[in-house]
């Protein structure tokens, strides 16, 4: 009798990680509130949007509805289908990266050609490419598991593909997306069993490559110089960082109160996108920032926990993909937070699940849905149920 009750409870228990779902929804909710708070002054000052203070709030809400709907669909697709489609989705991502570089098709904003105009919204292919790259590298690593120790058969083909992706991203230019995709790819290859010597050599080459890209590009070099001492030129190279640091300083422990930020009043550039964390720090203080960091840490921890369970079930693609998605959310979050806090040079990367932007929110929500699906299939297997 007791065994029957136990088995019934085990089968009827939730087949997905409820904590991961709630943490994701909480971050999306915090993002919606903080995007509205950070964008009121920007919206009112922009004549194009008709001085409507809720312009960005409405758009972000629409993005969330679309993204959550897409996430629901993604959750109901088996992991095996994602593995089967990984090469084709990657090719689609490459096609979009090429398309965005064509004059007249790709939209230029702030000197960068990163967006495709879909009339109502703009699509940023590099955001989707992060997801497609994680899928492709996970699938590649599983397919090439027997030759991952080989430089020519295992590593070289992937290197050529990633150099192609990097070249397209740097043409936009989108150095931040390239850094994130490179980190995702390297992490999955490492976790998938790539030769240690190849891995170390790759890290050295990437560091040297990034240094060359910074040194050879005047605007990237200016950002690094501004990062080293933002107060040396607070109205020029160090303008963004100096105002972000002022926001953090004003926030102290508990913040100045929701909606009471001064820096968002057209002092801090990109307050609702790249520098949203600075507004959170000013309005909610150290406690608010710590809460956001803790929520992101939980996502990364659960991603690797889900991967461990997938390995136990011999679902190696799901395991590598879960780890890749965890690395993506974690690394991009760390870079954005580091930029906001003055720990890293200024880079155009948004805070996942929080910052304003349709493409980023869409890609993030689909990624979290796939992560939940991997966990769903893990739990179904453990219960002896079909996936």
């Amino acid at each position: 009798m007791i065994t029957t009750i136990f088995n019934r409870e085990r089968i009827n228990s939730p087949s997905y990680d409820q904590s991961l779902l709630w943490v994701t929804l909480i971050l999306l909710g915090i993002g919606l509130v903080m995007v509205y708070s950070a964008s009121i002054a920007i919206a009112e000052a922009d004549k194009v949007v008709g001085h409507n203070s809720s312009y960005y709030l409405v758009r972000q809400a629409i993005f969330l509805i679309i993204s959550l709907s897409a996430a629901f669909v993604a959750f109901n697709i088996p992991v095996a289908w994602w593995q089967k489609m990984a090469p084709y989705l990657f090719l689609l991502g490459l096609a979009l990266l090429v398309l965005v570089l064509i004059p007249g098709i790709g939209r230029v904003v702030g000197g960068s050609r990163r967006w495709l105009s879909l009339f109502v919204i703009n699509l940023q292919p590099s955001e989707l490419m992060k997801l497609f790259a994680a899928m492709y590298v996970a699938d590649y690593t599983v397919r090439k598991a027997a030759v991952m120790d080989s430089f020519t058969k295992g590593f070289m083909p992937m290197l050529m593909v990633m150099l192609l992706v990097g070249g397209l991203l740097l043409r936009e230019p989108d150095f931040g997306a390239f850094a994130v995709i490179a980190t995702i790819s390297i992490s999955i290859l490492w976790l998938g069993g790539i030769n240690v010597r190849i891995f170390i050599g790759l890290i050295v080459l990437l560091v040297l490559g990034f240094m060359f890209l910074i040194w050879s590009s005047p605007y990237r070099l200016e950002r690094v110089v501004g990062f080293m001492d933002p107060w040396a030129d607070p109205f020029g190279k160090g303008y963004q960082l100096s105002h972000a640091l002022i926001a953090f300083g004003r926030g102290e422990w508990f913040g100045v109160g929701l909606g009471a930020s001064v820096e968002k009043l057209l002092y801090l550039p990109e307050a609702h996108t790249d520098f949203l964390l600075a507004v959170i720090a000013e309005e909610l203080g150290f406690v608010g920032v710590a809460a956001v960091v803790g929520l992101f840490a939980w996502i990364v921890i659960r991603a690797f926990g889900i991967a461990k369970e997938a390995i136990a079930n011999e679902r190696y693609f799901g395991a590598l993909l879960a780890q890749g998605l965890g690395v993506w959310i974690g690394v991009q979050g760390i870079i954005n937070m580091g930029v906001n806090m003055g720990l890293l040079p200024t880079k155009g990367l948004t805070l996942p699940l929080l910052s304003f932007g349709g493409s980023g929110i869409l890609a993030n929500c689909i990624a979290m849905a796939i992560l939940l699906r991997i966990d769903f299939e893990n739990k179904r297997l453990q219960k002896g149920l079909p996936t």
Side-chain angles (χ1 to χ4, degrees):
M1 181 66 178
I2 295 175
T3 303
T4 303
I5 294 173
F6 175 77
N7 288 335
R8 187 182 300 119
E9 289 179 350
R10 181 171 64 86
I11 292 173
N12 293 333
S13 61
S15 294
Y16 59 90
D17 192 322
Q18 290 184 309
S19 68
L20 181 60
L21 175 62
W22 279 109
V23 165
T24 301
L25 292 175
I26 289 169
L27 281 171
L28 290 172
I30 293 173
L32 184 63
V33 172
M34 295 310 303
V35 163
Y36 180 45
S37 177
S39 65
I40 292 174
I42 299 171
E44 290 180 342
D46 193 343
K47 295 180 180 179
V48 175
V49 299
H51 300 276
N52 185 350
S53 63
S54 61
Y55 174 79
Y56 291 102
L57 170 66
V58 172
R59 288 182 68 83
Q60 186 76 346
I62 293 171
F63 294 153
L64 284 177
I65 292 171
I66 295 172
S67 299
L68 290 173
S69 299
F72 178 78
V73 173
F75 175 78
N76 285 282
I77 297 175
V79 175
W81 186 89
W82 291 112
Q83 182 176 7
K84 180 181 177 181
M85 295 301 295
Y88 304 106
L89 291 172
F90 186 75
L91 289 174
L92 172 63
L94 283 175
L96 292 174
L97 289 180
V98 172
L99 200 61
V100 80
L101 294 175
I102 300 175
I105 297 178
R107 185 164 179 259
V108 180
V109 178
S112 298
R113 191 184 296 274
R114 302 179 186 175
W115 292 268
L116 292 172
S117 179
L118 301 181
F119 301 106
V120 179
I121 60 173
N122 294 318
L123 177 68
Q124 190 172 356
S126 59
E127 292 293 339
L128 295 178
M129 195 61 187
K130 295 169 188 174
L131 176 60
F132 297 158
M135 291 180 182
Y136 178 73
V137 180
D139 174 59
Y140 178 88
T141 304
V142 171
R143 286 189 289 107
K144 299 285 187 177
V147 294
M148 286 306 291
D149 275 342
S150 170
F151 179 81
T152 55
K153 295 181 180 180
F155 172 69
M156 201 63 182
M158 179 55 64
L159 177 62
M160 293 297 101
V161 169
M162 286 305 152
L163 286 176
L164 173 61
V165 173
L168 291 172
L169 288 170
L170 292 175
R171 287 286 297 169
E172 294 183 6
D174 196 344
F175 184 76
F178 175 47
V180 172
I181 290 174
T183 304
I184 294 169
S185 303
I186 293 169
S187 300
I188 293 176
L189 289 172
W190 165 249
L191 294 166
I194 194 173
N195 184 284
V196 176
R197 287 175 296 179
I198 296 175
F199 177 75
I200 294 173
L202 178 60
I203 294 297
V204 172
L205 284 175
L206 277 175
V207 171
L208 293 175
F210 284 146
M211 289 176 63
F212 172 77
L213 288 172
I214 292 170
W215 184 261
S216 62
S217 174
Y219 88 92
R220 292 193 191 107
L221 190 59
E222 283 184 5
R223 285 186 171 185
V224 173
V225 171
F227 156 73
M228 297 299 291
D229 187 6
W231 307 111
D233 187 12
F235 298 104
K237 300 181 184 70
Y239 182 80
Q240 288 179 308
L241 179 53
S242 61
H243 281 279
L245 294 176
I246 291 171
F248 271 87
R250 292 192 74 245
E252 298 185 351
W253 285 98
F254 300 102
V256 297
L258 185 62
S261 167
V262 171
E263 286 300 317
K264 70 182 183 183
L265 302 177
L266 307 182
Y267 293 105
L268 181 63
E270 308 297 335
H272 60 309
T273 55
D274 299 354
F275 285 90
L276 185 66
L277 188 70
V279 178
I280 294 174
E282 187 177 4
E283 295 190 348
L284 305 181
F286 173 82
V287 173
V289 173
V292 169
V293 172
L295 292 171
F296 275 107
W298 182 252
I299 289 177
V300 176
I301 290 169
R302 284 305 304 136
F304 278 81
I306 290 169
K308 184 177 180 181
E309 293 168 5
I311 292 172
N313 292 325
E314 298 184 353
R315 297 291 187 98
Y316 300 113
F317 171 77
L320 289 172
L321 180 55
Q323 290 167 334
L325 297 178
V327 168
W328 168 18
I329 298 297
V331 167
Q332 185 165 330
I334 289 171
I335 292 175
N336 179 275
M337 294 174 190
V339 167
N340 276 254
M341 296 178 188
L343 301 176
L344 293 171
T346 303
K347 194 73 229 86
L349 280 175
T350 56
L351 190 57
L353 298 168
L354 277 88
S355 294
F356 176 81
S359 301
I361 292 293
L362 176 64
N364 296 158
C365 285
I366 293 175
M368 299 311 298
I370 294 173
L371 190 56
L372 284 167
R373 177 70 196 196
I374 296 169
D375 182 63
F376 171 80
E377 294 190 7
N378 286 341
K379 288 179 167 56
R380 297 281 291 182
L381 285 170
Q382 291 164 4
K383 295 175 182 179
L385 300 173
T387 58

